[in-house]
Amino acid sequence: MLSRTRIAVLVSGGGTNLEALLNAQESGDIPHGEIVLVVSNVAGAYALQRAANHGVPGVTVVKKGVPQAEFEQQLSAVLAEHRIDLIILAGFLSILSEDFVKQWPERIVNVHPSLIPSFCGKGMYGLKVHEAALEKGVKVTGATVHLVNEIPDGGRILLQRAVDILPDDTAESLQRRVMEQAEWILLPQAAELLSAQIMQDKENV
């Protein structure tokens, strides 16, 4: 049997989605993949401590004040050093260029806290998505895990999960429930789905 798909998780902040992935891995829910690296574009991000708590190496590749090409060159070098097969964006707030994405065809996964195509596009991330859903008055929201391609907000949808909006919801309470009932379930499922596919592709070469 081939070695498991090597996964890098890219983060920018606290790493709650990373924690869900690491817990799923330790529970045996990602049997075809292994998180071998966590990369933060922000120095001191708590997600790196979460990685260390689980014995996973963490690396910082600072984006602030660095030209895009130089940042992506450094990021690519780190990914190559760790022989990464699959990238999962888990609260990673730095935009990746078209040139970078093209080097990872159907190998970059992102999670968005809504049911795409609703509440996505420029400026729609984090709490802003949930604020928009409440302002619109919709009754159902959720999360989407999708592959990233060179077209902004593009990429094939892998998985979606709906979450009801409650009458007394705030953006904060809705954000928490979307994470618990959708994001933390979908991300490990997507990691396993793609890891199994990557292993199969390697076997067929």
Side-chain angles (χ1 to χ4, degrees):
M1 181 178 176
L2 292 172
S3 60
R4 289 184 289 176
T5 296
R6 296 175 64 83
I7 302 170
V9 182
L10 275 54
V11 298
S12 295
T16 51
N17 281 343
L18 168 65
E19 186 78 29
L21 283 162
L22 291 167
N23 289 338
Q25 175 174 278
E26 291 169 1
S27 299
D29 293 333
I30 313 177
H32 291 91
E34 180 181 8
I35 299 168
V36 297
L37 179 68
V38 173
V39 182
S40 173
N41 66 321
V42 178
Y46 185 67
L48 294 172
Q49 182 60 53
R50 292 184 191 270
N53 293 344
H54 290 264
V56 176
V59 175
T60 300
V61 180
V62 175
K63 173 64 176 73
K64 188 176 181 179
V66 177
Q68 185 75 16
E70 182 179 337
F71 166 70
E72 291 182 350
Q73 185 177 32
Q74 294 176 12
L75 178 59
S76 293
V78 169
L79 297 173
E81 179 184 351
H82 288 82
R83 308 188 313 283
I84 297 303
D85 300 307
L86 174 65
I87 298 171
I88 298 178
L89 308 180
F92 185 68
L93 299 181
S94 181
I95 301 297
L96 297 170
S97 72
E98 178 181 341
D99 287 341
F100 181 91
V101 171
K102 282 181 176 178
Q103 297 173 39
W104 294 85
E106 301 213 334
R107 293 291 182 267
I108 304 177
V109 181
N110 190 33
V111 61
H112 185 73
S114 78
L115 298 174
I116 291 176
S118 299
F119 310 114
C120 59
K122 187 176 182 180
M124 282 288 122
Y125 63 89
L127 206 60
K128 295 178 182 180
V129 177
H130 306 294
E131 291 171 345
L134 291 175
E135 184 177 349
K136 189 71 173 178
V138 297
K139 302 300 182 184
V140 176
T141 185
T144 302
V145 175
H146 63 98
L147 291 168
V148 177
N149 65 22
E150 61 270 20
I151 303 171
D153 301 317
R156 178 163 59 91
I157 290 175
L158 291 176
L159 300 166
Q160 290 186 309
R161 189 178 179 93
V163 175
D164 290 333
I165 295 179
L166 305 180
D168 59 347
D169 260 330
T170 63
E172 290 80 8
S173 67
L174 182 57
Q175 180 184 51
R176 182 71 186 186
R177 203 162 61 260
V178 168
M179 287 192 294
E180 291 175 345
Q181 297 182 9
E183 294 180 38
W184 297 349
I185 296 170
L186 295 179
L187 273 172
Q189 289 178 349
E192 171 56 18
L193 178 70
L194 289 171
S195 292
Q197 182 62 57
I198 290 169
M199 285 188 63
Q200 183 177 26
D201 291 346
K202 287 182 178 180
E203 289 175 352
N204 292 336
V205 171

